[in-house]
């Protein structure tokens, strides 16, 4: 009996009916669906089955050298086992790794219940033990058309009857092996920067390349139904590097989406091997698409990735990137849809129990404005940002000093001026520090930035006391912010003086949380 100890990077269940790109995309849309067919079609669809699993995920293997364990590099073909012709079988595929240059594709056939149970039993990054797999010589052309390219001459077939795949306990996992999760499966210097992609433009259309980039944001997962009644999902990740401030990458399959949901913006760098680059006519720009061959390496331990991570962290500290959507939050969020009323303490408790990164908390607070320093230096409450890269402009000349800004485009750029105010709100349970910016600030203060700048000091003080120590009805958006002292970032969506009757009604009700 042969044993292989491996760490799982991803799993997938699915099948294609042809080898065309359109069929491949359809299969990616149905990442979590498992299809079955008669064993009479086994030989024709075997390579396609491998595609399915890898398309949905990637698993890395780690081997040890104890008690009969065999490393991937030491595998050799073994005897084929008979197949019961005529029985319906289901399949899924994954990739395992146990050394820097040793990784291999694996697939499993079996009953629907077995395959669904097996595919749900491990996740990307898990260490798995594979007992008694069938080792087969791979057909490189068929095997790697959709699956990740591997250095092995073989592939593994996991049999429902003869093989066992189990997740290793934490005591069986070697830290040296776990470090492989941060080692790209391709040459760490064989990649395109986002600047390279933009510079090459449509000459890269349809090409499959490697990309090194930092994560700027991870969008919400959106579900949809196709014209032929198949359900799918889609998630867009925004990437950036030292040259390009925003570049889209689309994930269609569930495994890739679940991996992306673990990425922390501005704290995560990814090495994405084998992503497809296409020109998007709707956006009039290049975009990346995650395909069946794609393998993600999160926060690679390479000099290039570490330098990019430091840059991303510097962007966070300097305020080079800000959430452009916050400027439009008033328009993009229907305030009437926000019904839940919280106290300050309830919001803090909610945050302490963990906010979901891509699922902000929206709510209403009836509280006093306890701090509103708008009669201080204008430079502390008004920000100038470059219209192109959104970097904070501090140069007296009004010119953007961001090193790579001029390399992004030769088009003229301007400076956008907007409010960026920090204020405190307080109720009987505590105090919250919030951000008030953009159009929301202008609506609250009833003046534009230009009008505010022309106010006298006495007029600013009068405006300040319109809200200071007054009870207001405040709509809030609370999001996870790991780099914040409180662990959350609170943005004001609307702030108006509260109706006393409405405020008393809510303050007298039982706390919701």
């Amino acid at each position: 009996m042969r044993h292989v100890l491996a760490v799982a990077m991803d799993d997938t269940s699915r099948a294609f009916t042809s080898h065309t790109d359109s069929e491949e995309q359809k299969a990616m849309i149905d990442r979590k669906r498992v299809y079955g067919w008669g064993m009479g079609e086994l030989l024709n669809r075997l390579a396609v089955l491998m595609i399915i699993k890898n398309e949905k995920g990637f698993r890395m293997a780690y081997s040890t050298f104890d008690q009969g364990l065999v490393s991937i590099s030491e595998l050799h073909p073994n005897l084929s086992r008979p197949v019961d012709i005529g029985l319906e079988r289901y399949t899924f595929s994954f990739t395992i790794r146990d050394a820097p240059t040793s990784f291999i594709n694996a697939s499993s056939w079996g009953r629907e219940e077995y395959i669904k149970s097996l595919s749900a039993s491990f996740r990307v990054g898990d260490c798995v033990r594979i007992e008694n797999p069938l080792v087969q010589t791979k057909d490189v052309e068929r095997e790697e058309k959709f699956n990740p390219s591997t250095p092995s001459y073989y592939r593994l077939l996991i049999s429902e009857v003869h093989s066992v795949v189990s997740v290793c306990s934490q005591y069986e996992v070697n830290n040296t092996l776990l470090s492989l999760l941060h080692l790209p499966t391709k040459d760490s210097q064989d990649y395109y920067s986002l600047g390279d992609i933009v510079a090459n433009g449509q000459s890269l259309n349809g090409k499959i390349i490697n990309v090194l980039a930092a994560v700027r944001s991870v969008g919400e997962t959106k579900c949809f139904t196709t014209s032929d009644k198949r359900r799918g999902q889609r998630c867009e990740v925004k990437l950036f590097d030292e040259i390009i401030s925003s570049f889209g990458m689309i994930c269609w399959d569930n495994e890739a989406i679940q991996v992306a949901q673990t990425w922390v913006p501005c704290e995560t760098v990814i090495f994405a091997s084998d992503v497809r680059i296409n020109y998007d006519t709707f956006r009039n720009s290049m975009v990346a698409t995650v395909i069946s061959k794609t393998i993600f390496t999160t926060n690679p331990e390479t000099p290039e990735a570490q330098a990019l991570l430091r840059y991303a962290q510097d962007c966070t500290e300097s305020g080079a990137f800000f959430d452009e959507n916050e400027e439009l939050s008033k328009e993009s969020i229907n305030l009437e849809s926000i019904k839940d009323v919280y106290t300050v303490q309830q919001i803090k408790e909610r945050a302490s129990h963990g906010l979901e990164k891509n699922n902000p908390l929206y709510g209403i607070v009836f509280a006093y404005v306890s701090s509103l320093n708008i009669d201080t230096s204008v430079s502390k409450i008004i920000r100038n940002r470059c219209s192109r890269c959104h970097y904070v402009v501090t140069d007296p000349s009004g010119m953007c000093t961001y090193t790579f800004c001029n390399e992004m485009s030769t088009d003229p750029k301007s400076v956008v001026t907007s409010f960026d105010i920090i204020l405190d709100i307080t109720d009987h349970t505590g105090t919250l520090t919030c951000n008030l910016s953009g159009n929301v600030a202008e609506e609250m203060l009833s003046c534009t930035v230009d009008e505010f700048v022309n106010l006298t000091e006495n007029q600013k003080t009068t405006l300040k006391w319109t809200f200071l120590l007054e009870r207001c009805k405040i709509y809030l958006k609370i999001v996870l912010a790991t780099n914040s002292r409180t662990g959350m970032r609170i943005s004001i969506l609307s702030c108006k003086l509260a109706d006393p009757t409405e405020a008393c009604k809510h303050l007298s009700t039982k706390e919701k949380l």
Side-chain angles (χ1 to χ4, degrees):
M1 178 179 291
R2 300 188 179 209
H3 298 242
V4 177
L5 186 63
V7 172
M9 301 299 291
D10 185 55
D11 64 80
T12 304
S13 306
R14 175 179 53 221
F16 291 115
T17 56
S18 75
H19 291 234
T20 64
D21 289 344
S22 60
E23 292 294 338
E24 176 186 1
Q25 185 169 352
K26 289 179 181 179
M28 283 195 292
I29 292 176
D30 288 324
R31 180 179 183 82
K32 277 300 181 185
R33 297 179 61 185
V34 184
Y35 297 83
W37 47 79
M39 287 301 295
E41 296 175 282
L42 170 65
L43 296 180
N44 291 332
R45 302 205 182 187
L46 184 57
V48 175
L49 301 177
M50 300 295 292
I51 295 167
I52 297 169
K53 181 55 184 178
N54 287 323
E55 183 173 300
K56 294 191 160 190
F58 171 66
R59 296 183 178 278
M60 270 197 171
Y62 298 124
S63 69
T64 64
F65 300 97
D66 316 331
Q67 310 177 358
L69 290 175
V70 180
S71 66
I72 292 174
S73 62
E74 296 175 340
L75 291 174
H76 298 286
N78 49 21
L79 296 177
S80 299
R81 304 189 182 96
V83 177
D84 295 327
I85 303 299
L87 296 179
E88 186 178 61
R89 290 291 182 265
Y90 289 71
T91 185
F92 81 101
S93 303
F94 56 95
T95 307
I96 59 176
R97 185 184 196 182
D98 69 356
T101 59
S102 297
F103 47 100
I104 190 172
N105 293 323
S107 65
S108 178
W109 288 81
R111 295 172 296 108
E112 177 182 7
E113 296 79 9
Y114 167 75
I115 291 299
K116 286 185 176 180
S117 174
L118 181 62
S119 66
S121 66
F122 54 89
R123 310 297 308 172
V124 172
D126 287 344
C127 181
V128 297
R129 181 191 299 270
I130 303 176
E131 301 180 19
N132 203 29
L134 175 65
V135 183
Q136 297 180 326
T137 301
K138 71 180 181 183
D139 182 330
V140 176
E141 183 177 353
R142 297 179 64 190
E143 172 79 9
E144 298 185 352
K145 184 174 182 180
F146 295 103
N147 292 304
S149 301
T150 67
S152 175
Y153 294 109
Y154 312 112
R155 62 176 177 175
L156 299 182
L157 182 61
I158 312 300
S159 165
E160 177 181 1
V161 177
H162 301 90
S163 309
V164 177
V165 180
S166 56
V167 178
C168 298
S169 69
Q170 59 179 343
Y171 304 105
E172 297 178 275
V173 181
N174 188 304
N175 289 334
T176 302
L177 297 175
L178 287 176
S179 66
L180 294 175
L181 292 170
H182 303 289
L183 183 64
T185 56
K186 298 288 186 74
D187 183 344
S188 63
Q189 296 184 338
D190 178 18
Y191 67 88
Y192 280 76
S193 69
L194 301 181
D196 293 334
I197 297 173
V198 172
N200 281 275
Q202 296 189 45
S203 65
L204 289 178
N205 189 42
K207 298 294 181 63
I208 296 176
I209 64 174
N210 307 323
V211 176
L212 178 69
V215 176
R216 177 166 179 170
S217 66
V218 180
E220 296 181 359
T221 301
K222 298 180 180 180
C223 299
F224 59 88
T225 302
T226 63
S227 58
D228 54 355
K229 308 302 181 182
R230 290 179 300 111
R231 289 180 294 179
Q233 51 194 339
R234 177 184 184 277
C235 175
E236 180 168 354
V237 179
K238 293 291 187 182
L239 306 175
F240 74 98
D241 61 13
E242 296 95 335
I243 298 178
I244 302 301
S245 62
S246 184
F247 188 92
M249 181 177 71
I250 311 299
C251 301
W252 293 98
D253 63 273
N254 186 57
E255 285 297 330
I257 291 174
Q258 289 191 27
V259 171
Q261 296 296 328
T262 66
W263 296 336
V264 180
C266 293
E267 295 182 22
T268 303
V269 170
I270 62 169
F271 187 101
S273 65
D274 292 333
V275 294
R276 177 180 286 120
I277 301 298
N278 290 106
Y279 178 74
D280 189 319
T281 55
F282 179 78
R283 305 169 189 238
N284 193 30
S285 64
M286 307 301 290
V287 296
T289 301
V290 177
I291 60 174
S292 60
K293 294 173 63 67
T294 304
I295 294 175
F296 290 121
T297 302
T298 303
N299 287 333
E301 293 182 352
T302 65
E304 298 82 4
Q306 293 299 312
L308 182 55
L309 180 60
R310 288 193 296 271
Y311 169 77
Q313 293 170 340
D314 289 342
C315 287
T316 301
E317 295 176 2
S318 65
F321 293 144
F322 74 107
D323 186 359
E324 294 93 335
N325 292 327
E326 287 187 8
E327 297 267 337
L328 303 175
S329 58
K330 179 69 162 52
E331 291 76 11
S332 60
I333 300 172
N334 182 8
L335 297 182
E336 294 182 358
S337 66
I338 302 176
K339 304 293 185 182
D340 295 329
V341 179
Y342 298 94
T343 64
V344 168
Q345 182 60 33
Q346 288 172 341
I347 291 176
K348 290 182 177 179
E349 289 175 355
R350 183 70 175 269
S352 67
H353 287 87
L355 294 169
E356 296 182 16
K357 176 166 63 70
N358 293 302
N359 187 21
L361 172 65
Y362 295 95
I364 301 171
V365 173
F366 288 91
Y368 294 98
V369 176
S370 54
S371 175
L372 181 62
N373 296 321
I374 59 174
D375 51 356
T376 184
S377 171
V378 171
S379 62
K380 295 182 178 180
I381 60 174
I382 294 177
R383 295 266 188 159
N384 294 322
R385 295 183 183 271
C386 175
S387 61
R388 181 188 302 156
C389 68
H390 303 296
Y391 199 89
V392 176
V393 176
T394 57
D395 192 282
S397 66
M399 299 296 294
C400 179
T401 56
Y402 180 32
T403 306
F404 299 99
C405 185
N406 291 325
E407 298 179 16
M408 296 168 61
S409 172
T410 57
D411 296 335
K413 55 186 177 180
S414 59
V415 172
V416 177
T417 303
S418 63
F419 285 111
D420 192 0
I421 303 170
I422 302 298
L423 76 162
D424 293 338
I425 58 175
T426 302
D427 67 3
H428 60 289
T429 65
T431 299
L432 292 174
T433 299
C434 309
N435 177 262
L436 176 69
S437 61
N439 296 334
V440 177
E442 292 186 357
E443 183 174 332
M444 175 181 172
L445 301 176
S446 299
C447 65
T448 65
V449 173
D450 291 337
E451 291 171 341
F452 180 83
V453 172
N454 292 323
L455 294 179
T456 65
E457 294 303 314
N458 287 337
Q459 288 174 322
K460 292 178 183 177
T461 301
T462 300
L463 181 59
K464 168 182 176 177
W465 283 98
T466 302
F467 295 94
L468 195 62
L469 302 184
E470 295 289 340
R471 188 181 296 279
C472 297
K473 182 179 182 180
I474 307 169
Y475 288 81
L476 300 175
K477 174 184 176 182
I478 303 97
V479 298
L480 178 70
T482 56
N483 59 338
S484 170
R485 179 178 55 83
T486 60
M488 58 181 172
R489 176 179 172 84
I490 305 174
S491 301
I492 293 179
L493 305 179
S494 175
C495 180
K496 296 181 179 180
L497 296 177
D499 176 76
T501 303
E502 182 184 16
C504 290
K505 174 184 175 181
H506 286 286
L507 289 173
S508 62
T509 59
K510 184 179 179 179
E511 293 188 349
K512 294 182 180 292
L513 296 178

